[in-house]
Amino acid sequence: MTHLLGGASALAGQAAASANPAQVFVDRLFRSDAAQANAQPAGAPSPAGVNEPAGQTARAQTNAASAEVMRLWAYDYQTGNGLSDADKTYVVKLVAARTGLSQADAGKRVNEGTQDAKAAADRARKATAKLAFWMTAALLFGAFSASLAAVEGGQLRDGTWSERRIVP
């Protein structure tokens, strides 16, 4: 059983490392629709206040911005407060610059993404609590069953099973 659980946990760890759920929410922030992508020409300058590294392609810039937002998000949510106002403003500017959305639409997208991420975290927290409860109940049931089996086995060994003396 230990070997099976160890293998299952290793497999789950690999799956979690390859598919970071938080990255999905960040990727949704930078998703652009076809109509919006055509609205801004490829060489158009980005809105003021957003620093872009020179010489990078748009895809590389989006990946760098995505990684930066992921780091900001992870740090700010570690404290339990969510995105700070300064970080939220910066993320809105990045989303507006990368997707071609207006500042208001980008702010709305960031707010919705934040709410979706919080809801997903709450669902995961509740599922983990339920799993912990049922695992504890299963372990207690197993311990109770093992103690009953031990008592019966001891009685069988001693020849006093069912309160009758069994003599071979």
Side-chain angles (χ1 to χ4, degrees):
M1 187 59 118
T2 303
H3 181 69
L4 290 175
L5 289 176
S9 66
L11 187 62
Q14 290 173 354
S18 65
N20 185 354
Q23 186 64 43
V24 172
F25 293 105
V26 173
D27 289 342
R28 287 180 185 166
L29 291 178
F30 292 105
R31 183 182 298 156
S32 62
D33 298 333
Q36 293 169 347
N38 292 335
Q40 184 176 2
S46 63
V50 178
N51 296 329
E52 293 185 10
Q56 289 187 346
T57 64
R59 182 72 153 157
Q61 289 173 355
T62 301
N63 288 342
S66 177
E68 183 179 12
V69 169
M70 188 66 194
R71 287 189 302 269
L72 286 173
W73 210 339
Y75 178 77
D76 284 343
Y77 278 97
Q78 231 175 1
T79 61
N81 298 328
L83 283 173
S84 66
D85 290 337
D87 288 343
K88 187 174 182 180
T89 303
Y90 181 71
V91 170
V92 168
K93 287 180 183 179
L94 281 176
V95 170
R98 299 293 181 254
T99 61
L101 293 172
S102 67
Q103 291 286 330
D105 289 339
K108 183 179 176 185
R109 183 179 282 192
V110 169
N111 287 336
E112 288 173 357
T114 302
Q115 290 171 355
D116 290 346
K118 284 182 182 179
D122 286 341
R123 284 191 306 272
R125 191 177 5 258
K126 288 177 184 177
T128 302
K130 287 179 185 178
L131 176 68
F133 173 77
W134 287 111
M135 287 295 289
T136 303
L139 288 171
L140 287 174
F141 181 74
F144 180 72
S145 299
S147 66
L148 286 180
V151 168
E152 186 175 333
Q155 288 177 348
L156 210 74
R157 178 197 64 213
D158 295 341
T160 59
W161 190 54
S162 294
E163 298 185 20
R164 290 181 284 174
R165 183 83 180 149
I166 303 172
V167 180

